[in-house]
């Protein structure tokens, strides 16, 4: 694949963890564990292919209305993830970032996430951003409020920098797993010209070869950005 045909930024809506577990007669929490275990491997594979930024949608603000038992399981996984895997990311040269409203998480989970982020700040191989307690509409509204507070009109470019994704380029490719075809409040402003790719596979089953297939598909598309 030639260099220009490789997306600089790939964003993944990791859906289907619950269905993955259900198919195996396992509790949903096992599906979340399997999904979480797949996150680093998948991003490593993307970085090896030349992708520079990977953003994974791990938990939406809307997901916070799920039953307490499921959320407690997910929070436990985040605690484990950021206390152990942050170190894995550091060792593998992956810079870890988070977008989302961490104040919506239990305080100890928020602290563990923040400590983990401190440990894996830098990394030359690529930037992995996890969207946790993230909702794109509220991110856009927060950016609009920031602009209002600054008291001056903003350009599209200024505005995009006020979003929580301000440091990273917009996604070139958005992949959704789990056989649903919607964005579910993910990177709505940023994805204006992203190529979209939908996989029938549940996230824990979405292998390196599936990512390669999505990258091939991306490479074959003509991005016109409204021109002819
Ligand atoms: C995605 O898997 C992870 C989260 C949204 C937390 P789901 O939990 O949505 O799995 P399904 O869609 O019910 O299978
Ligand atoms: C989208 O999945 C959110 C994440 C992957 C974190 P959902 O399972 O919450 O989306 P809907 O409810 O099917 O739209
Ligand atoms: Mg789902």
């Amino acid at each position: 694949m030639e260099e220009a045909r490789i997306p600089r930024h790939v964003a993944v809506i990791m859906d289907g963890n619950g269905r993955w577990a259900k198919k195996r007669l396992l509790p949903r929490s096992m599906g979340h564990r399997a999904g979480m275990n797949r996150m680093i491997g998948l991003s490593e594979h993307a970085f090896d292919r030349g992708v520079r930024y990977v953003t994974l949608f791990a938990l939406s603000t809307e997901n916070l209305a799920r039953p307490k038992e499921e959320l407690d399981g997910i929070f436990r996984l985040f605690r484990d993830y950021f206390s152990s895997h942050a170190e894995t990311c550091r060792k593998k040269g992956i810079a870890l970032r988070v977008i989302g409203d961490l104040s919506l998480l239990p305080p100890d989970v928020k602290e563990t996430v923040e400590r983990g982020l401190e440990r894996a700040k830098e990394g030359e191989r690529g930037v992995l951003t996890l969207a946790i307690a993230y909702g794109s509409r509220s991110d856009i509204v927060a950016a609009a409020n920031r602009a209002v507070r600054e008291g001056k009109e903003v350009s599209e470019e200024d505005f995009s920098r006020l979003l929580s994704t301000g440091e990273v380029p917009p996604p070139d490719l958005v992949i959704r797993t789990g056989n649903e075809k919607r964005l579910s409040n993910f990177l709505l402003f940023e994805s204006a010209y992203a190529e979209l790719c939908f996989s029938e596979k549940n996230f824990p089953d979405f292998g390196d070869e599936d990512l390669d297939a999505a990258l091939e598909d991306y490479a074959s598309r003509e991005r016109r950005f409204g021109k002819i």
Side-chain angles (χ1 to χ4, degrees):
M1 238 179 276
E2 53 176 293
E3 196 65 31
R5 289 291 187 180
I6 293 167
R8 191 152 60 127
H9 181 182
V10 175
V12 182
I13 301 174
M14 53 174 257
D15 196 20
N17 290 348
R19 279 163 286 163
W20 180 93
K22 193 174 174 199
K23 252 168 95 177
R24 289 161 179 78
L25 306 177
L26 293 168
R28 288 179 62 86
S29 61
M30 297 294 281
H32 293 308
R33 180 171 292 279
M36 204 82 76
N37 286 339
R38 183 74 196 106
M39 290 195 310
I40 291 188
L42 186 68
S43 48
E44 269 194 284
H45 186 68
F47 297 139
D48 288 347
R49 289 282 183 258
V51 173
R52 295 293 301 151
Y53 301 90
V54 173
T55 302
L56 287 174
F57 200 8
L59 189 73
S60 71
T61 43
E62 290 77 13
N63 292 150
L64 293 170
R66 288 192 182 185
K68 184 179 180 307
E69 194 194 332
E70 174 155 349
L71 287 175
D72 284 345
I74 292 174
F75 293 151
R76 209 172 308 124
L77 286 170
F78 283 144
R79 244 184 251 117
D80 292 352
Y81 191 89
F82 282 91
S83 48
S84 58
H85 286 40
E87 189 56 21
T88 314
C89 285
R90 194 190 61 75
K91 285 194 189 133
K92 289 177 183 282
I94 299 170
L96 196 55
R97 304 269 185 277
V98 163
I99 53 172
D101 186 354
L102 295 184
S103 72
L104 298 174
L105 303 178
D108 64 313
V109 180
K110 179 175 180 278
E111 277 162 33
T112 316
V113 169
E114 284 167 346
R115 266 202 306 275
L117 289 175
E118 275 301 311
R119 290 226 297 273
K121 255 193 202 157
E122 312 293 338
E124 59 298 323
R125 205 162 151 204
V127 179
L128 169 60
T129 304
L130 299 184
I132 297 175
Y134 172 85
S136 187
R137 282 180 177 174
S138 71
D139 202 50
I140 291 168
V141 170
N145 283 325
R146 244 170 257 143
V148 168
R149 274 198 301 275
E150 286 173 17
K152 57 177 194 294
E153 281 190 23
V154 289
S155 65
E156 283 187 17
E157 214 178 303
D158 297 335
F159 188 75
S160 68
R161 274 197 291 269
L162 293 174
L163 296 167
S164 64
T165 50
E167 271 185 36
V168 300
D172 302 295
L173 173 63
V174 175
I175 301 172
R176 183 174 183 137
T177 64
N179 203 24
E180 307 290 359
K181 291 164 191 74
R182 52 180 172 257
L183 293 175
S184 302
N185 203 11
F186 185 52
L187 304 183
L188 301 180
F189 184 92
E190 298 88 333
S191 297
Y193 265 104
E195 296 295 325
L196 307 179
C197 193
F198 301 98
S199 169
E200 288 179 6
K201 292 213 180 158
N202 292 321
F203 185 76
D205 286 331
F206 190 79
D208 289 350
E209 66 288 359
D210 298 306
L211 179 64
D212 283 340
L215 294 176
E216 293 263 346
D217 185 0
Y218 173 87
S220 72
R221 299 193 195 178
E222 189 194 349
R223 301 183 77 188
R224 284 189 290 276
F225 300 97
K227 303 191 178 73
I228 52 169

